Amino acid sequence: MFIGEYDYDLDMQVKAEEAREEGLAEGSRMKAVEDALMLI
């Protein structure tokens, strides 16, 4: 049974935050690869 209400705005905020965090993580990985390539 579903208890509570679906809040579209809150859902969009959560999804935007998750996407931002994922983008930051991807950027960190790319920076690490670039740094490693510079050392080679």
Side-chain angles (χ1 to χ4, degrees), residues 2 5 9 11 19-23 28-31 33 37 39-40:
F2 182 74
E5 293 181 20
D9 293 329
D11 189 31
R20 186 186 71 79
E21 289 173 0
E22 186 176 316
S28 294
R29 285 191 293 271
M30 291 179 71
K31 176 75 169 126
V33 170
L37 290 174
L39 293 172
I40 295 177

